[in-house]
Amino acid sequence: MAEAMMKRNTKIHETKVDRVFNVVVYVLIALLLLLFIYPIWFVLMASFSDPQYVNAGALLIYPRGFTTMGYKMVFSDDRIWTGYLNTIFYAGVGTVLATMVQVMAGYALSRKDLPGRSIFMLLFVFTMYFSGGLIPFYLVVKELNLVNTRFLMIVTGLASVYNIIIVRSFFASSMPVELYEAASIDGCTNQRYFFSIVLPLSKAIIAVIALYCLVAQWNSYFNAMIFLSDRSKYPLQLFLREILLAAQTYSDPSAVQGDAVAAAQMEIMGEVIKYGVIVVSTLPVIIIYPFLQKYFVQGVMIGSIKG
């Protein structure tokens, strides 16, 4: 009975101010969630709707004039499947290698016993603010014989100074020096300490960096546009760009002279293709995110709590 009374007494009673504050916070969070989610939902619904309803502002929550014309036209194009295969390869291999490079670099820079640690950090940060420019970059890629190669699409995304700094901060604040000293006393080498102790304790930051690298690789198109001439190596984003440009031509009434019916039909085709392309290009990453969400939430809290 005394135990039950103690439990009752330890319950925190909220004041009216606390309850009002909580309600305001929940309302604001709900509004922000709606603000962020609705554009994605609108694009998804618009991709299944008749463009006439979309242009008239009659589409709010559910599709109007249900149609799959946009997806049929997008997926009937063989370029989409070629682009998907290339992007899956670039994103898959690139994410694995980039995560490895950035995690190892961040760990090395977090070690206070690394010779020249401050100089390396200064050089890394310097590249965030200053670069040689596009022409020197092209000349370097050309001298390395990487122009028009698949390897180029992977190697150019291996290092991200921003991600390396995040990893460095994680290891500096989450891996106590005493843990390394205890492992060293037991005869653990640097390599074994990193792979057997550090990596298993770093799932959160690895998931965050992997997600960042995946999104960057999936959305990458500029390097491909500059350096790739072989269309069989094009990523999905380049083919989607071509489809969107074609869709703009469809939606231009001046493209069809003197035929109002054909012009209206082409405008409808351009609209449904546009929304279909947006969904096709973003849906895979959106599907993957829930599987990494738990670790992502842990990772973004890096450095917020000291103890």
Side-chain angles (χ1 to χ4, degrees), residues 176-193:
V177 179
E178 293 77 12
L179 185 62
Y180 173 71
E181 292 175 349
S184 299
I185 292 173
D186 292 334
C188 185
T189 61
N190 279 321
Q191 293 79 7
R192 184 166 184 180
Y193 173 72

Side-chain angles (χ1 to χ4, degrees), residues 147-264:
V147 176
N148 201 30
T149 62
R150 296 184 187 275
F151 185 63
L152 166 75
M153 297 300 298
I154 297 173
V155 73
T156 52
L158 289 184
S160 168
V161 177
Y162 178 78
N163 291 348
I164 291 173
I165 292 175
I166 292 177
V167 177
R168 173 183 173 273
S169 301
F170 172 82
F171 287 130
S173 61
S174 302
M175 295 293 164
V177 179
E178 293 77 12
L179 185 62
Y180 173 71
E181 292 175 349
S184 299
I185 292 173
D186 292 334
C188 185
T189 61
N190 279 321
Q191 293 79 7
R192 184 166 184 180
Y193 173 72
F194 176 74
F195 288 106
S196 300
I197 298 176
V198 173
L199 288 185
L201 297 175
S202 308
K203 292 180 181 178
I205 192 61
I206 292 174
V208 171
I209 298 303
L211 183 61
Y212 286 166
C213 295
L214 175 64
V215 173
Q217 288 281 359
W218 187 270
N219 292 329
S220 176
Y221 75 94
F222 185 75
N223 287 339
M225 187 170 61
I226 298 297
F227 296 109
L228 295 184
S229 57
D230 187 351
R231 295 178 63 83
S232 65
K233 299 174 183 177
Y234 275 14
L236 176 65
Q237 304 300 332
L238 270 191
F239 287 126
L240 293 181
R241 176 178 174 273
E242 292 181 357
I243 294 173
L244 278 177
L245 291 175
Q248 289 179 0
T249 303
Y250 289 151
S251 60
D252 185 4
S254 64
V256 180
Q257 298 286 345
D259 192 340
V261 176

Side-chain angles (χ1 to χ4, degrees), residues 30-68:
L31 291 175
L32 286 174
L33 181 63
L34 181 63
L35 184 65
F36 296 145
I37 294 297
Y38 182 72
I40 300 175
W41 179 257
F42 176 84
V43 170
L44 181 61
M45 293 300 100
S47 67
F48 289 106
S49 300
D50 190 323
Q52 295 177 358
Y53 293 103
V54 179
N55 294 335
L59 178 66
L60 289 176
I61 300 176
Y62 54 90
R64 300 284 301 275
F66 186 85
T67 177
T68 57

Side-chain angles (χ1 to χ4, degrees), residues 275-293:
Y275 288 112
V277 163
I278 294 173
V279 174
V280 166
S281 61
T282 57
L283 191 60
V285 177
I286 294 176
I287 292 174
I288 292 173
Y289 175 75
F291 297 99
L292 299 176
Q293 189 264 348

Side-chain angles (χ1 to χ4, degrees), residues 9 15 17 27 39 43 45 52 66 83 85 99 111 114 118 127 138 141 153 161 169-170 182 189 195 208 264 299 307:
N9 292 333
T15 64
V17 176
V27 170
V43 170
M45 293 300 100
Q52 295 177 358
F66 186 85
L85 291 175
T99 303
R111 291 284 299 271
L114 175 68
S118 300
T127 62
Y138 181 86
V141 171
M153 297 300 298
V161 177
S169 301
F170 172 82
T189 61
F195 288 106
V208 171

Side-chain angles (χ1 to χ4, degrees), residues 95-131:
T95 299
V96 172
L97 294 180
T99 303
M100 289 174 55
V101 169
Q102 292 168 24
V103 169
M104 288 190 288
Y107 169 73
L109 290 172
S110 70
R111 291 284 299 271
K112 294 182 179 180
D113 56 343
L114 175 68
R117 173 170 171 259
S118 300
I119 297 176
F120 285 125
M121 199 65 224
L122 179 64
L123 293 175
F124 273 115
V125 174
F126 180 84
T127 62
M128 295 180 68
Y129 298 97
F130 304 97
S131 66

